[in-house]
């Protein structure tokens, strides 16, 4: 796996636009507001349609639709930060690359209930959610999701656009390649290397290295598809 290259800018706005606006995005949108940011609108391929009864009662969901950020004629608002609130790793990568090419500020968001050691590094546009732990000397790349209750132990290296799902545990010195998914409640043994664009099934226990583009499942994890 290539070393993590961090992208950062000095500018930071209190006004935030959410890129994406459904389940995962709503979780992040609420985190944003709990930390004192102002959520001013959202972008999507098209405006969100009929809301459920549960979402209708939440006032902040009634924010304006600002267009499709991937459209050629979309105009980014330089006075705002953008929240990369898309769960799909591949789509998140494409959006992040467009944001970088337009030199748009992408918000890096860490929940107040997460534990991130001072020696750890978090890349631009990444999110570390409630109850997650990022330990000493860990490196989290750009546009990564460290989801609720996930544990990234000491000296782990997580590549760009990866997703560490809720409750997953990465023991020390694990590396995860760009675009890979570590499923909910999966456990990866210390020192194991996960390749790029790999998928570790939910609840799996990974004891050996996983090659690029491979899907593994089970305890111990076995190859389902290459």
């Amino acid at each position: 796996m290539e070393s993590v290259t961090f992208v950062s800018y000095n500018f930071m706005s209190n006004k935030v636009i959410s890129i994406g606006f459904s389940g995962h995005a709503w979780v992040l949108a609420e985190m944003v507001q709990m930390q004192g940011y102002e959520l001013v609108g959202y972008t999507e391929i098209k405006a969100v349609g009929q809301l459920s009864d549960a979402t209708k009662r939440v006032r902040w969901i009634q924010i304006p639709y600002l267009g499709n950020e991937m459209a050629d004629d979309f105009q980014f608002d330089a006075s705002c930060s953008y929240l990369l609130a898309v769960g799909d790793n591949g789509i998140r990568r494409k959006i992040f690359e467009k944001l970088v090419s337009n030199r748009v500020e992408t918000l890096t968001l860490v929940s107040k209930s997460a534990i991130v050691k001072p020696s750890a590094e978090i890349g631009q546009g990444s999110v570390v959610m409630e109850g997650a732990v990022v330990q000493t000397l860990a490196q989290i790349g750009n546009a990564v999701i460290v989801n609720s209750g996930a544990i990234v132990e000491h000296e782990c290296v997580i590549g760009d656009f990866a997703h560490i799902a809720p409750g997953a545990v990465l023991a020390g010195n694990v590396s995860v390649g760009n675009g890979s998914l570590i499923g909910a409640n999966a456990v990866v043994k210390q020192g194991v290397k996960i390749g790029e664009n790999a998928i570790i099934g939910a609840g799996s226990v990974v004891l050996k290295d996983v090659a690029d583009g491979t899907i593994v499942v089970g305890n111990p994890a076995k190859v389902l598809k290459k």
Side-chain angles (χ1 to χ4, degrees):
M1 187 187 75
E2 296 180 0
S3 60
V4 174
T5 301
F6 295 102
V7 177
S8 62
Y9 306 111
N10 294 324
F11 166 79
M12 182 61 71
S13 172
N14 188 59
K15 293 184 178 182
V16 174
I17 294 170
S18 176
I19 297 182
F21 212 59
S22 57
H24 174 66
W26 291 338
V27 173
L28 297 185
E30 201 154 38
M31 283 176 60
V32 158
Q33 293 175 102
M34 290 171 69
Q35 295 192 24
Y37 295 98
E38 180 186 359
L39 192 64
V40 298
Y42 74 93
T43 69
E44 267 284 6
I45 294 175
K46 60 181 180 179
V48 173
Q50 184 69 29
L51 295 173
S52 66
D53 290 341
T55 54
K56 285 178 182 177
R57 64 181 173 80
V58 181
R59 180 171 296 179
W60 57 259
I61 287 182
Q62 315 300 323
I63 57 175
Y65 172 63
L66 303 176
N68 177 5
E69 77 287 340
M70 296 301 287
D72 292 338
D73 60 350
F74 183 82
Q75 297 294 313
F76 289 99
D77 186 344
S79 69
C80 296
S81 295
Y82 284 78
L83 175 65
L84 193 49
V86 176
D88 183 278
N89 291 351
I91 295 173
R92 193 167 65 256
R93 176 175 190 159
K94 291 178 181 177
I95 296 170
F96 179 80
E97 289 172 347
K98 183 165 186 178
L99 294 172
V100 170
S101 68
N102 282 273
R103 297 199 60 80
V104 176
E105 176 65 34
T106 308
L107 182 64
T108 302
L109 186 63
V110 177
S111 169
K112 291 182 178 180
S113 72
I115 298 172
V116 177
K117 289 296 182 63
S119 60
E121 295 181 284
I122 310 293
Q124 188 73 24
S126 291
V127 295
V128 181
M129 299 177 70
E130 285 85 353
V133 177
V134 180
Q135 277 289 5
T136 301
L137 297 175
Q139 295 183 58
I140 308 296
N142 300 307
V144 170
I145 301 170
V146 181
N147 221 315
S148 307
I151 297 175
V152 179
E153 269 295 343
H154 61 88
E155 301 166 272
C156 287
V157 178
I158 312 301
D160 299 338
F161 322 114
H163 182 180
I164 314 302
V169 177
L170 307 184
N173 286 289
V174 167
S175 66
V176 176
N178 297 339
S180 288
L181 168 65
I182 311 298
N185 294 313
V187 176
V188 182
K189 180 185 175 183
Q190 65 269 18
V192 165
K193 293 178 172 57
I194 308 295
E196 296 191 0
N197 302 308
I199 297 175
I200 309 302
S204 297
V205 177
V206 182
L207 304 177
K208 299 179 180 179
D209 293 354
V210 176
D212 294 352
T214 302
I215 300 173
V216 301
V217 298
N219 179 7
K222 296 182 179 179
V223 174
L224 179 64
K225 183 179 179 180
K226 291 186 179 180

